[in-house]
């Protein structure tokens, strides 16, 4: 048994969850935010059998896309002199962790 922790962009979450559900996988969605851009993310917790991990990752990969956006500097960055103008950054995609599960109980 594995626990997949997938951090995805909020824009991608509905399509990822819809496809996971369509394929018979259950997921728990947690609303989270990133540290750098403080943008909204969703963290999905997905428990699955070892042989299904690649299929789940394939769904996440297919429905989570990277995109670029312009980000204006925040006052704290400006005060420290790190960024003086808007910059283009890559957002989206997914960060996925696969963890071993010692015990799984559904009550």
């Amino acid at each position: 048994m594995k626990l997949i922790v997938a951090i995805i962009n909020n824009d991608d979450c509905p399509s990822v969850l819809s496809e996971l559900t369509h394929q018979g996988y259950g997921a728990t969605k947690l609303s989270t935010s990133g540290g750098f851009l403080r943008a909204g993310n969703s963290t999905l917790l997905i428990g699955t059998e070892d042989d299904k991990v690649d299929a789940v990752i394939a769904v996440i990969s297919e429905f989570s896309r990277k995109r670029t956006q312009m980000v204006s500097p925040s006052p704290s960055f400006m005060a420290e002199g790190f960024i003086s103008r808007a910059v283009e950054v890559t957002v989206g995609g997914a960060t996925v962790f696969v963890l071993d599960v010692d015990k799984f109980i559904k009550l």
Side-chain angles (χ1 to χ4, degrees), residues 8 13 17 24 46 54-55 57-59 66 69 86 88 92 95 99 105:
I8 61 175
C13 189
L17 278 175
I46 307 156
D54 290 337
I57 292 173
V59 169
K66 289 185 180 182
Q69 74 181 43
E88 187 175 62
T95 301
L99 309 166
I105 302 170

Side-chain angles (χ1 to χ4, degrees), residues 6-22:
I7 304 165
I8 61 175
N9 188 283
N10 274 344
D11 295 339
D12 298 327
C13 189
S15 56
V16 171
L17 278 175
S18 177
E19 185 61 22
L20 286 171
T21 302
H22 178 73

Side-chain angles (χ1 to χ4, degrees), residues 5-76:
V5 179
I7 304 165
I8 61 175
N9 188 283
N10 274 344
D11 295 339
D12 298 327
C13 189
S15 56
V16 171
L17 278 175
S18 177
E19 185 61 22
L20 286 171
T21 302
H22 178 73
Q23 292 191 24
Y25 300 104
T28 299
K29 176 186 169 233
L30 306 173
S31 295
T32 54
S33 61
F36 176 64
L37 298 176
R38 291 175 176 64
N41 293 319
S42 294
T43 299
L44 301 180
L45 304 176
I46 307 156
T48 190
E49 298 300 326
D50 293 14
D51 61 336
K52 306 282 186 182
V53 170
D54 290 337
V56 171
I57 292 173
V59 169
I60 296 166
S61 177
E62 181 179 349
F63 290 91
S64 299
R65 63 180 184 84
K66 289 185 180 182
R67 56 187 83 57
T68 58
Q69 74 181 43
M70 296 301 289
V71 176
S72 298
S74 69
S76 63

